[in-house]
Amino acid sequence: MASSSQSATPQREPAWDVARLFPAQGSWSASDYLELTDRTNRLVEWTDGCIEVLAMPTQAHQFLVRFLVDALRAFVDPQKLGEVLFAPLRVRLQTNKFREPDVVFMFAEHADRRHNDYWDGADLVMEVVSQDVESRRRDIDFKRIDYAEAGIPEYWIVDPQESQVTVLSLDQGTYREHGRFGLSEQATSQLLDGFSVEVAELFRAENN
């Protein structure tokens, strides 16, 4: 009679044979990345040959994204200023880097940079910061550098954990703080004159 250890369920292992069908980290090309993201419903970014699989957004995260998209569209659509979209949408920052911002805006005069498969940069991007440490570091530190290097004029960091919106404005290739706005304030845009968001109203949408 077999011992309990011999009859135990085999140790679960990743499907290594499937994993080996894909390039190793550091070896992903742009075409590899585009093919992968065409075939999956996960948010995936690509930088310097490596892919980053992002955390699946929560309901609260998506409520905040919806609020921002609705507010931005209510401002730009009547004036026909440009296009507002939301993730998943691939944005090429450099030849070796794609990101998927939560909210993206492109002026109408830059429509030639909007392609069906991806956009070449953007004029304004917004990220709603997730709670996990890796996502916070990516949105607050790494993407601040990436978006500035790509020449994106304005970057909004929406931080539910701090109940705060930071608006960054591009100045000679680096971001400076246009403002850091709390619950009693309106977050304003430098790029879009007259566009603002009531911060308290924004974060109330998280519990819609």
Side-chain angles (χ1 to χ4, degrees), residues 10-49:
Q11 183 179 359
R12 292 184 181 273
E13 292 264 343
W16 295 116
D17 290 342
V18 174
R20 292 188 184 101
L21 297 176
F22 297 97
Q25 284 287 47
S27 301
W28 286 77
S29 67
S31 59
D32 292 330
Y33 164 75
L34 292 171
E35 182 177 357
L36 174 69
T37 48
D38 279 341
R39 295 173 179 271
T40 180
N41 63 355
R42 294 300 302 268
L43 294 174
V44 181
E45 297 178 330
W46 175 72
T47 178
D48 297 324

Side-chain angles (χ1 to χ4, degrees), residues 41 43-45 54 57 61-62 65 69 84-91 99-104 126-127 143:
N41 63 355
L43 294 174
V44 181
E45 297 178 330
L54 308 189
H61 179 282
Q62 295 302 78
V65 170
V69 170
V84 178
L85 283 177
F86 45 87
L89 174 71
R90 297 171 295 207
V91 175
R99 292 293 192 186
E100 296 205 28
D102 287 320
V103 182
V104 290
M126 297 176 171
E127 297 283 7
K143 288 189 178 181

Side-chain angles (χ1 to χ4, degrees), residues 100-116:
E100 296 205 28
D102 287 320
V103 182
V104 290
F105 166 74
M106 187 85 81
F107 279 117
E109 55 263 37
H110 298 153
D112 61 319
R113 291 163 51 195
R114 293 191 290 105
H115 314 295
N116 193 46

Side-chain angles (χ1 to χ4, degrees), residues 36-189:
L36 174 69
T37 48
D38 279 341
R39 295 173 179 271
T40 180
N41 63 355
R42 294 300 302 268
L43 294 174
V44 181
E45 297 178 330
W46 175 72
T47 178
D48 297 324
C50 297
I51 61 166
E52 300 174 30
V53 180
L54 308 189
M56 185 63 68
T58 62
Q59 174 180 270
H61 179 282
Q62 295 302 78
F63 280 152
L64 292 172
V65 170
R66 184 176 65 182
F67 183 97
L68 293 165
V69 170
D70 289 347
L72 195 51
R73 288 196 61 191
F75 182 83
V76 304
D77 286 0
Q79 304 177 70
K80 297 182 171 27
L81 294 179
E83 290 294 337
V84 178
L85 283 177
F86 45 87
L89 174 71
R90 297 171 295 207
V91 175
R92 183 168 68 177
L93 305 181
Q94 301 177 30
T95 56
N96 65 338
K97 190 166 296 187
F98 282 80
R99 292 293 192 186
E100 296 205 28
D102 287 320
V103 182
V104 290
F105 166 74
M106 187 85 81
F107 279 117
E109 55 263 37
H110 298 153
D112 61 319
R113 291 163 51 195
R114 293 191 290 105
H115 314 295
N116 193 46
D117 289 335
Y118 58 86
W119 284 13
D120 271 317
D123 290 309
L124 184 151
V125 295
M126 297 176 171
E127 297 283 7
V128 175
V129 182
S130 298
Q131 292 184 357
D132 64 281
V133 173
E134 184 177 351
S135 294
R136 290 186 63 81
R137 191 175 180 201
R138 182 187 296 115
D139 290 343
I140 294 171
D141 297 329
F142 298 151
K143 288 189 178 181
R144 178 174 181 149
I145 296 170
D146 291 345
Y147 293 151
E149 288 180 344
I152 295 175
E154 191 162 289
Y155 176 27
W156 287 46
I157 302 173
V158 178
D159 190 344
Q161 189 168 315
E162 299 294 331
S163 298
Q164 179 175 272
V165 177
T166 302
V167 179
L168 303 172
S169 182
L170 197 64
D171 183 11
Q172 298 183 346
T174 58
Y175 282 131
R176 62 171 181 79
E177 278 193 16
H178 167 64
R180 188 173 294 197
F181 305 97
L183 289 173
S184 63
E185 299 173 289
Q186 286 188 341
T188 62
S189 171

